[in-house]
Amino acid sequence: QQQVKQSPQSLIVQKGGISIINCAYENTAFDYFPWYQQFPGKGPALLIAIRPDVSEKKEGRFTISFNKSAKQFSLHIMDSQPGDSATYFCAGDNYGQNFVFGPGTRLSVLP
Amino acid sequence: DAGITQSPRYKITETGRQVTLMCHQTWSHSYMFWYRQDLGHGLRLIYYSAAADITDKGEVPDGYVVSRSKTENFPLTLESATRSQTSVYFCATQTRDFYNEQFFGPGTRLTVL
């Protein structure tokens, strides 16, 4: 199994702060790196995704930074809000063969 | 338009009983997946299906059986439930176009006593 490692396991951030979650992967054949957001009692939903031909992708307050040589990517949440409190999963996908998810990070944003 | 639904949403059963979890999609996405979610393990793939009558094992298939006679349905059966199968089960679909996005159902919380 090609692992995707994720850290930290849990994160507490003050409102307005920056949340940073890091992931590392092993499979160099991965061609798609999504981040999923999951609220309690709900299924995960796609938040933002990147392909390895770019080093950064930004959508509103959410940014993915991608380092192909280090096989690492990270999610940055700027101006974190209490509504961002959720569990975040990174993943790698190998040309649509199947997703490999990281173990998840539980984010709590304090008001 | 419901998209993807799972039933039941909650299920309590006893060790040794057979349990079937249902998954239904209205999009006609070709790929469907079953994951289980356990604390500390994230989402682990049980089985997936590329199309009707085509299924394949994922990371943790032991103790589970799937079928896909119709594109829109992908039931997951626990033939003889064990306590270790207590988990939250998610069904997902995927279009397999350029975007690769997977769409998840609301989940089924299964407790095996």
Side-chain angles (χ1 to χ4, degrees), chain A residues 62-93:
Chain A
F62 301 91
T63 300
I64 299 178
S65 297
F66 185 81
N67 186 329
K68 189 174 182 178
S69 61
K71 293 188 289 184
Q72 295 175 347
F73 58 111
S74 60
L75 176 69
H76 295 235
I77 305 174
M78 310 299 289
D79 186 26
S80 298
Q81 299 297 312
D84 297 329
S85 297
T87 299
Y88 293 82
F89 295 95
C90 63
D93 186 27

Side-chain angles (χ1 to χ4, degrees), chain A residues 45-66:
Chain A
L46 180 66
L47 179 64
I48 186 172
I50 197 168
R51 294 195 181 270
D53 53 343
V54 297
S55 60
E56 185 175 282
K57 183 174 182 180
K58 183 176 181 179
E59 290 184 359
R61 297 184 293 109
F62 301 91
T63 300
I64 299 178
S65 297
F66 185 81

Side-chain angles (χ1 to χ4, degrees), chain A residues 1 31-32 36 38 41-44 46 51 89 93 95-99 101-103 106, chain B residues 9 35 37 39-43 45 48 59 90 94 96 98-102 104-106:
Chain A
Q1 180 66 24
D31 75 325
Y32 177 72
Y36 279 76
Q38 184 182 27
K42 304 291 185 181
L46 180 66
R51 294 195 181 270
F89 295 95
D93 186 27
Y95 289 93
Q97 295 303 304
N98 65 273
F99 276 39
F101 284 91
R106 181 171 290 185
Chain B
R9 292 295 314 278
Y35 293 90
Q37 184 175 30
L39 198 62
H41 291 280
L43 293 152
L45 182 65
Y48 67 99
E59 180 186 356
F90 288 99
Q94 188 179 33
R96 290 297 169 95
F98 177 78
Y99 298 102
N100 288 27
E101 180 179 357
Q102 287 196 8
F104 284 82

Side-chain angles (χ1 to χ4, degrees), chain A residues 5-26:
Chain A
K5 297 179 181 179
Q6 184 173 346
S7 63
Q9 203 170 24
S10 62
L11 180 62
I12 300 174
V13 174
Q14 292 288 338
K15 178 182 176 181
I18 302 173
S19 303
I20 302 174
I21 305 171
N22 300 299
C23 285
Y25 63 97
E26 299 175 354

